[in-house]
Amino acid sequence: MNERMTPERHLAEVLASYDNSPNDRLAEITRSLVRHLHEFVVEVGLTREEWFRAIEELTRAGDLCSEKRQEFVLLSDTLGVSMLVEMINHGDEGGTEPTVLGPFHLDGAPRKNMGESIVIDAMDTDKNLVVTGAVRDLDGEPIEGAELDVWETASNGFYDVQDPSQAEMNMRGIYTTGADGCFEIHAARPVDYTIPDDGPGGDLLFNNGRHNWRPAHLHFVVSAPGYRSVITHLFDSESNYINGDAVFGVRDSLVVDMSDGTCGYDFVLAPEG
Ligand code: BEZ
Ligand code: FE
């Protein structure tokens, strides 16, 4: 007698189709993805309409992506996956804690001298912020030639790439430390701002009763030859959303007092390998 197919046998058949993959790692990732995806469909009893809706939303996410917009990063961030990937890959080697990159980093930011400002288009709402400190190794020794790639929104809450009224590369700069490892960055005090909400990422937040605010922060990628670079932020301790970041990026060790227009922070890099 013919046996009726079951979800379990179906899953086993799909998994077995990867047995001869020439790429072990790809096969491992694909099998695990298939297993979790099938379990998810069974667990929630996904309807055909819901699955087609999901496909439509993913299609819409793809259509929204461009050089200036990355809807999949937004989904990864708001679902907490970006922070999880950072956590398991950049765990406890002792350096500065990482946080999300976000979709608004640009390559090729202008090089700045110490004390120079990243603000090109000053706004009436700007409050000055001077960030000083040093880049150090795990023993506390200064690292010469470390680069700090810094970016933030203007004080209207928008990044240059979101706002045609701003000059290209407004609020972005790369600083390089000298022999003392020290830096002095001139910027504007960051503001709380909302992440884009006009696509599937925003819909998934709002339809679940969540908000799309991020606590005020400056972004950093800190790197130096021979060290693991770190993607991180400094958060303003006075932000209204310090305990409610839409992308789960806040870490206690990255929260600083910016209330008098200055803040101090030493970034610590772990050796490569
Ligand atoms: C950001 O901080 O730039 C950001 C992070 C995650 C999603 C959207 C924006
Ligand atoms: Fe940001």
Side-chain angles (χ1 to χ4, degrees), residues 73-74 77-78 100-105 151 153 159 193 195-196 214 217 219 233 247:
V73 172
L74 206 62
D77 292 343
T78 53
V100 284
L101 177 66
F104 296 118
H105 176 259
W151 69 106
T153 68
Y159 288 96
Y193 70 88
I195 60 176
R214 292 220 64 207
H217 59 271
H219 290 259
H233 294 3
V247 304

Side-chain angles (χ1 to χ4, degrees), residues 33-66:
L33 177 68
V34 165
R35 206 170 343 98
H36 286 281
L37 212 48
H38 283 227
E39 281 170 6
F40 153 74
V41 168
V42 171
E43 182 185 313
V44 302
L46 201 71
T47 65
R48 188 186 297 131
E49 291 72 21
E50 287 165 340
W51 184 233
F52 286 153
R53 172 73 191 274
I55 289 170
E56 266 172 35
E57 293 298 328
L58 289 173
T59 306
R60 195 155 70 96
D63 288 345
L64 276 172
C65 289
S66 68

Side-chain angles (χ1 to χ4, degrees), residues 15 28 49 60 73 90 115 125 130 153 160 162 169 192 239 249 260:
L15 289 176
E28 180 189 5
E49 291 72 21
R60 195 155 70 96
V73 172
H90 218 305
T125 42
V130 179
T153 68
D160 55 351
Q162 298 175 287
M169 298 291 174
D192 296 343
S239 161
D260 69 353

Side-chain angles (χ1 to χ4, degrees), residues 172-200:
R172 298 176 189 270
I174 299 177
Y175 296 79
T176 307
T177 59
D180 59 1
C182 289
F183 59 84
E184 181 179 325
I185 296 165
H186 287 234
R189 188 169 174 189
V191 296
D192 296 343
Y193 70 88
T194 52
I195 60 176
D197 62 7
D198 57 342

